[in-house]
Amino acid sequence: MTANYDTPDGSAGDEDADFERPASPRGSFNTIQPEPKKSWPYSTRMTLSFALTAVMTAAILVIVLASVWESQFIAYTRRNMQGLAQSTANAISEAYESEGGWTTDVIANASAASAASSDVGVQVIDSDGNILYDDTWSSTSRMNETATSTDSETTAKTTSLAPTSSESIVTADVVDGKGNVVGIVRLWAFGSDALLTKSDAAFRANSYGAIAGAAAIAVILACVIGYFVSRSLTKPILRITSTASQLRNGDLTARSGVRGTDEIGQLGETFDDMATSLEKDIKLEHRLTSDVAHELRTPLMAMQATVEAMQDGVLPADDEHFETVASEVRRLSRLVDAMLRLSRLENSTKEMKTERTDMVYLVKSLVSSQHQLFHERGLHLRFVDETPHGECNADVDPDMIREAIVNLMSNAMRYTNEDGWVKVSVGSDRSDVIVSVQDTGIGIAKEDIPQTFSRFWRSDVSRERVSGGLGVGLSITKEIVDRHNGTISVKSELGRGTTFTLRIPQNRGRHGIVYSLQEK
């Protein structure tokens, strides 16, 4: 069995036709996980980052030392060894010149160099290539050594253990008085192919140990610094997160209290401002729902009671009672229409048609059109031009400004006793147009003035009057003034009257949106 449905063109179709329709855009929504997956805390990751940075720095330092300092150190030790070899060769040369040839006393100078450091090996070779002295020979061989350049005695010698690589040895020439090379002095370091004595090797090892220790200390300090820095960063973030959780759970009064001039401080201030706006909006939504329900309930109950009474035969179904129902319907229609206009103004969905307008002419024409209505109510309406030259232009939406001023005039007419006065005036200062609506009506209590522009608000005195309005006119007026980047203020005194003052910038965009209440 297939399910039938109506297609957009009115023809019938079945569920198989869904496969022929183009794919529509998809949407999705996911709530926040109550228990998100566990991961490393931000503080731990930052601490590890600091530690890794320290390790990398130490590693780079070791690499640089290994490639630069090591070669410089080897060159330094080679120069020292070369200097020792040259000084030994010079001493032997002087003795050779004094003795006139190779003798035991001449060769003894080589043993003096060997005695200077137990880590240095010395070898002396004559011009014929014969080894005259070598530290690697046994002590017995040294004692039996009698070879000289003047005699021909045969001396037992052992095989030399001196290194053969040119990198592991330094040489210096032995010369006679005439500058002829008569021998060579060769020096090396025992147990090292890089001419490093034990003291040099120990110094190098200690240097690398010190570097390793410094690196370890640097890593530890980096971890400690990273921990405290991350704590200082994450603490305000955690406070903001906790506050967000409280707001999500319904605590609209929660605030992070994070302040400061840096990015996190600005984030905290912005978040708290957002929370304040959110609290205000939600409370306004709740109040709006309550107020709308209350305002709708009264006419609906009146209509319901009248209709049920006519159905039960308690009241006759005549024109009088139908008119009662119709008047309540019109009241509901006006209320809904006013709420719709207010909503459009608040959401900025109503387009402004700004044009250069003569405010004096606009207000004066409004007063003229309303004069008869005020006269029928037994009220005196007066227009006063307070501009210097009888003309004042401003960039406004004329229709919106008319609605705002009419609301103020209607409010004055509604709450002013018979034979009272309503004065509408237009003035200006250097940058603003000033429009005032002053009446001699019942006035507003001092404690009620801050609520004057709230939706559905009416003072207790005005609620007792049959002529009480819907309670949204002043809210609409305030939104219109806000849209024009202007301000609205009110001064009032019970039994003396009320004055509403609008200040509209003559050039749009010169001022920010400001809303102020001034109390007398």
Side-chain angles (χ1 to χ4, degrees), residues 235-245 256 258 264 267-268 271:
K235 186 176 180 179
I237 295 177
L238 290 175
R239 289 173 59 184
I240 294 175
T241 303
S242 175
T243 303
S245 178
S256 67
V258 177
I264 294 182
L267 172 63
F271 181 86

Side-chain angles (χ1 to χ4, degrees), residues 99-376:
E99 295 291 334
W102 292 107
T103 63
T104 304
D105 293 335
V106 173
I107 298 174
N109 288 280
S111 61
S114 177
S117 175
S118 60
D119 298 332
V120 177
V122 182
Q123 187 182 66
V124 181
I125 303 175
D126 62 12
S127 58
D128 296 329
N130 298 316
I131 300 175
L132 304 179
Y133 181 86
D134 194 323
D135 275 339
T136 61
W137 290 345
S138 65
S139 59
T140 303
S141 299
R142 294 178 183 175
M143 290 175 65
N144 293 332
E145 185 180 74
T146 57
T148 67
S149 60
T150 59
D151 58 58
S152 58
E153 293 184 30
T154 302
T155 306
K157 298 181 177 66
T158 61
T159 303
S160 175
L161 300 179
T164 58
S165 174
S166 60
E167 297 296 329
S168 304
I169 199 168
V170 293
T171 61
D173 295 335
V174 178
V175 296
D176 58 10
K178 299 178 179 180
N180 297 320
V181 177
V182 295
I184 298 174
V185 175
R186 305 176 70 195
L187 265 69
W188 67 90
F190 289 116
S192 173
D193 294 333
L195 297 174
L196 295 179
T197 63
K198 290 182 180 180
S199 59
D200 292 335
F203 174 78
R204 183 177 65 172
N206 291 336
S207 298
Y208 281 112
I211 294 172
I217 295 174
V219 171
I220 295 174
L221 288 177
C223 291
V224 173
I225 295 173
Y227 174 76
F228 285 105
V229 170
S230 62
R231 282 288 301 274
S232 66
L233 292 177
T234 56
K235 186 176 180 179
I237 295 177
L238 290 175
R239 289 173 59 184
I240 294 175
T241 303
S242 175
T243 303
S245 178
Q246 291 177 275
L247 291 172
R248 185 183 64 184
N249 293 331
D251 184 7
L252 301 179
T253 62
R255 298 292 183 272
S256 67
V258 177
R259 296 290 182 271
T261 57
D262 57 4
E263 290 80 357
I264 294 182
Q266 294 176 2
L267 172 63
E269 293 180 8
T270 304
F271 181 86
D272 286 347
D273 290 342
M274 180 197 68
T276 301
S277 300
L278 178 64
E279 179 184 15
K280 179 180 178 181
D281 291 342
I282 292 179
K283 288 183 177 180
L284 184 62
E285 179 184 349
H286 292 168
R287 189 185 70 187
L288 177 61
T289 303
S290 175
D291 289 344
V292 169
H294 176 77
E295 294 295 329
L296 293 178
R297 183 175 179 274
T298 301
L300 286 175
M301 290 298 294
M303 287 189 292
Q304 181 181 3
T306 303
V307 172
E308 288 179 352
M310 289 190 295
Q311 288 177 338
D312 295 339
V314 176
L315 295 176
D318 52 14
D319 293 341
E320 178 184 355
H321 295 97
F322 280 125
E323 178 59 29
T324 300
V325 176
S327 65
E328 295 298 335
V329 171
R330 288 192 293 270
R331 174 179 172 81
L332 282 176
S333 178
R334 292 196 304 271
L335 176 61
V336 172
D337 184 60
M339 288 302 302
L340 182 59
R341 293 200 306 274
L342 180 59
S343 176
R344 288 174 177 172
L345 287 170
E346 290 179 333
N347 297 327
S348 298
T349 57
K350 184 176 181 179
E351 182 181 359
M352 287 186 61
K353 299 178 180 179
T354 305
E355 60 184 60
R356 198 67 174 170
T357 305
D358 183 357
M359 294 295 294
V360 175
Y361 175 79
L362 184 147
V363 177
K364 185 176 181 180
S365 61
L366 274 179
V367 173
S368 298
S369 63
Q370 297 286 320
H371 187 273
Q372 183 60 33
L373 182 59
F374 276 74
H375 181 71
E376 292 175 356

Side-chain angles (χ1 to χ4, degrees), residues 393-413:
N393 296 318
D395 296 327
V396 298
D397 184 325
D399 293 335
M400 285 189 178
I401 294 298
R402 286 190 186 95
E403 182 178 3
I405 297 175
V406 167
N407 285 339
L408 295 179
M409 293 174 64
S410 299
N411 192 72
M413 179 179 63

